């Protein structure tokens, strides 16, 4: 079969997800040596491969060392990308790639700079492993010296949380996630740094690694992602910290420095990481709604982040701004946007809204939970964030499978999945006459 790049990406993620679910279902993956519920195994495999972090069982208690290793492998595979890993294996074994493999890899990495597949793949791998290693070293010494862990325990916790952080997965080896470290900047800040870097996206990371000191050479994509990330982090920190400042169930009982640290930590998490150092279920409704918006926007494209992506959101903003000013062309950082980009951004946004709303309505129809909590879980699943108000483990099998579908759609991307499901590409040899309806 000749698969299109979109079909290859969807098939690759689907196949890896199936293998991961089977491995997690087996008794060897569970700490008590029994089979895991099939739906829970599918949910956990999808959450790990789609670097989401939503859980239906206690990660620290339910899984055996083998099960945790499977989860960690799925996180790394999902973060790097199935097609990218396939390209790396091909380069290692055969030292060459077929044209189909090159197209699949370039599509997944969203590379438009004309770089060779080998250069893109090796650059992404080097950047990923470097950031993960540096983060692991910082966490290792903190676990070892600050908490009295043995060298083995400190190393395992450091490596697991470093990989989970950079890949924006949100899986933790503690039953309360990271609540026990809410006041520890030596744990929270290295993880935040890894999450932010992973959320920038591989195209941005590769360019920053090569041209960090020459911002004038940055592409429009890099400029939008870097600027948008800084703005959203500042706004998110101020918003969460201000609203939760006096909430005794979250930040209100902590000292001012801890409140600011926790506010910043969660502003980073809503960028699609999913760790939490305070109880999300105790947050004010207005905080949850604001976090819904930040999660939906997400991080940079072609990386470990989810959401509709900063670039999509920025393009929509520039389109609106141009329309309000009466302009005819959408200009961004001295460059004109193609009209095809307008259509792509609008399509991604509308399909994503429809998916989240459809999932929310379906879960509401089958459960007794409030809208605030259900909407938060649905957005968190679609945006591959992993933050939860605590209701996910209590959902029935049908509701869990809805979240599985949202996670898969969010990781693959609406347009990629739509292209994969299309029966064929159809070229139209004619255009219909134009007519303009009334708008607004």
């Amino acid at each position: 079969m000749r698969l299109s790049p979109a079909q290859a990406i969807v098939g690759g993620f689907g196949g890896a997800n199936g293998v991961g679910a089977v491995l997690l279902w087996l008794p060897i993956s569970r700490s008590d040596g029994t089979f895991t519920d099939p739906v829970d195994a599918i949910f956990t495999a999808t959450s790990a491969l789609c670097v989401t972090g939503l859980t239906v069982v206690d990660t620290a208690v339910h899984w055996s060392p083998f099960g945790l290793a499977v989860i960690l492998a799925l996180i790394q595979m999902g973060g790097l990308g199935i097609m990218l890993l396939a390209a790396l294996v091909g380069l290692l074994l055969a030292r060459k790639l077929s044209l189909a493999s090159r197209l699949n890899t370039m599509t997944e990495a969203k590379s438009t700079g004309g770089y060779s597949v080998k250069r893109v793949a090796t650059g992404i791998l080097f950047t990923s492993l470097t950031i993960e290693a540096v983060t692991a070293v910082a966490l290792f010494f903190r676990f070892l010296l600050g908490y009295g862990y043995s060298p083995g325990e400190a190393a395992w916790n450091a490596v697991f949380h470093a990989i989970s952080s950079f890949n924006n997965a949100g899986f933790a080896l503690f039953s309360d996630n990271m609540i026990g470290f809410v006041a520890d900047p030596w744990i929270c800040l290295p993880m935040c740094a890894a999450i932010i870097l992973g959320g920038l996206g591989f195209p941005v990371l590769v360019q920053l690694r090569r041209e960090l000191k020459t911002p004038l050479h940055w592409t429009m994509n890099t400029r939008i992602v870097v600027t948008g990330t800084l703005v959203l982090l500042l706004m998110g920190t101020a918003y969460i910290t201000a609203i939760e400042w006096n909430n005794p169930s979250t930040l209100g009982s902590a000292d001012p420095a801890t409140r600011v640290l926790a506010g910043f930590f969660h502003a980073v998490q809503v960028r699609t990481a999913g760790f939490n150092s305070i109880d999300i279920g105790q947050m004010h409704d207005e905080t949850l709604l604001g976090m819904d918006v930040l999660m939906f926007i997400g991080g940079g494209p072609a990386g470990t982040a989810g959401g509709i992506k900063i670039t999509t959101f920025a393009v929509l903003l520039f389109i609106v701004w141009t329309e309000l000013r009466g302009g005819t062309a959408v200009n961004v950082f001295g460059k004109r946007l193609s009209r095809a980009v307008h259509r792509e951004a609008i399509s991604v946004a509308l399909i994503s809204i429809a998916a989240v709303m459809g999932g929310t309505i379906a879960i509401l129809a089958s459960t007794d939970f409030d809208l605030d909590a259900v909407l938060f879980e649905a957005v968190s699943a679609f945006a591959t964030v992993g933050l939860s108000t605590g209701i996910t483990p209590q959902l029935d099998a049908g509701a869990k499978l809805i979240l599985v579908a949202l996670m898969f759609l969010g990781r693959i991307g609406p347009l990629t999945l739509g292209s994969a499901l299309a029966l064929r590409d159809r070229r139209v040899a004619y255009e219909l006459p134009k007519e303009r309806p009334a708008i607004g």
Side-chain angles (χ1 to χ4, degrees):
M1 293 179 60
R2 291 186 177 182
L3 300 178
S4 68
Q7 291 171 332
I9 293 171
V10 173
F13 270 90
N17 195 49
V19 173
V22 171
L23 291 175
L24 292 178
W25 169 70
L26 296 174
I28 191 176
S29 294
R30 188 167 179 175
S31 58
D32 62 5
T34 60
F35 285 98
T36 294
D37 180 88
V39 174
D40 290 345
I42 293 172
F43 190 100
T44 303
T46 305
S47 184
L49 186 67
C50 297
V51 290
T52 304
L54 282 175
T55 58
V56 289
V57 296
D58 189 337
T59 303
V61 175
H62 183 88
W63 303 109
S64 67
F66 178 82
L68 291 174
V70 171
I71 291 174
L72 194 62
L74 289 172
I75 291 172
Q76 189 70 82
M77 290 172 60
L80 288 176
I82 302 299
M83 295 301 105
L84 176 65
L85 286 175
L88 288 169
V89 171
L91 289 171
L92 289 173
L93 297 180
R95 298 184 179 276
K96 61 181 180 180
L97 294 173
S98 65
L99 178 59
S101 297
R102 296 179 184 179
L103 292 175
N104 294 340
T105 305
M106 300 302 278
T107 299
E108 186 176 59
K110 291 182 171 56
S111 177
T112 57
Y115 299 121
S116 69
V117 172
K118 181 178 180 180
R119 187 178 181 185
V120 170
T122 54
I124 290 174
L125 182 64
F126 174 81
T127 302
S128 301
L129 295 181
T130 300
I131 295 173
E132 290 172 353
V134 172
T135 306
V137 170
L139 294 178
F140 169 78
F141 284 108
R142 185 56 179 168
F143 284 131
L144 180 68
L145 302 177
Y147 295 91
Y149 286 23
S150 68
E153 290 176 330
W156 168 239
N157 278 276
V159 170
F160 188 97
H161 291 96
I163 293 176
S164 186
S165 295
F166 175 73
N167 290 288
N168 280 214
F171 279 89
L173 294 178
F174 308 101
S175 296
D176 62 354
N177 206 276
M178 306 305 293
I179 290 179
F181 306 97
V182 61
D184 191 344
W186 301 102
I187 294 291
C188 293
L189 294 183
M191 293 177 64
C192 285
I195 292 165
I196 292 170
L197 292 174
L200 291 176
F202 291 124
V204 174
L205 287 178
V206 171
Q207 182 167 47
L208 290 179
R209 185 167 65 88
R210 293 171 179 155
E211 301 176 341
L212 178 62
K213 298 182 180 180
T214 55
L216 292 178
H217 295 170
W218 293 357
T219 63
M220 180 191 296
N221 180 74
T222 299
R223 295 184 182 187
I224 291 176
V225 171
V226 172
T227 303
T229 296
L230 293 174
V231 171
L232 291 176
L233 282 176
L234 291 174
M235 291 178 60
T237 301
Y239 183 85
I240 295 172
T241 306
I243 296 180
E244 295 297 320
W245 187 266
N246 292 319
N247 184 348
S249 299
T250 55
L251 301 182
S253 59
D255 60 86
T258 300
R259 296 183 200 184
V260 174
L261 176 63
F264 172 73
F265 185 80
H266 287 83
V268 172
Q269 305 314 310
V270 296
R271 310 304 317 294
T272 78
F275 294 105
N276 66 283
S277 62
I278 56 177
D279 189 350
I280 301 296
Q282 299 300 318
M283 285 183 165
H284 293 308
D285 291 343
E286 54 269 37
T287 307
L288 295 179
L289 185 58
M291 292 172 70
D292 286 339
V293 175
L294 293 171
M295 290 191 298
F296 189 75
I297 295 173
T304 61
I308 63 172
K309 306 298 187 294
I310 291 176
T311 46
T312 303
F313 182 72
V315 166
L316 294 175
L317 283 182
F318 283 117
I319 291 174
V320 172
W321 178 245
T322 300
E323 190 65 27
L324 291 176
R325 296 183 61 190
T328 56
V330 179
N331 301 316
V332 182
F333 294 121
K335 299 289 183 65
R336 180 169 57 86
L337 283 179
S338 166
R339 292 192 179 276
V341 177
H342 303 188
R343 296 193 297 270
E344 289 179 8
I346 294 171
S347 299
V348 167
L350 291 179
I351 294 173
S352 300
I353 292 172
V356 171
M357 291 299 100
T360 301
I361 292 171
I363 295 175
L364 283 173
S366 62
T367 66
D368 297 325
F369 293 110
D370 295 334
L371 173 61
D372 294 335
V374 173
L375 177 62
F376 191 89
E377 305 294 306
V379 175
S380 181
F382 172 79
T384 68
V385 177
L387 290 173
S388 174
T389 58
I391 69 170
T392 298
Q394 305 173 48
L395 298 175
D396 58 29
K400 290 177 182 177
L401 291 177
I402 292 172
L403 293 182
V404 166
L406 287 175
M407 287 189 287
F408 193 81
L409 173 62
R411 183 66 183 95
I412 298 299
L415 294 187
T416 300
L417 185 59
S419 299
L421 296 177
L423 296 179
R424 61 189 177 92
D425 292 329
R426 184 164 62 94
R427 294 182 178 274
V428 179
Y430 60 90
E431 291 186 356
L432 296 176
K434 292 182 179 180
E435 185 173 351
R436 180 170 182 156
I439 301 296

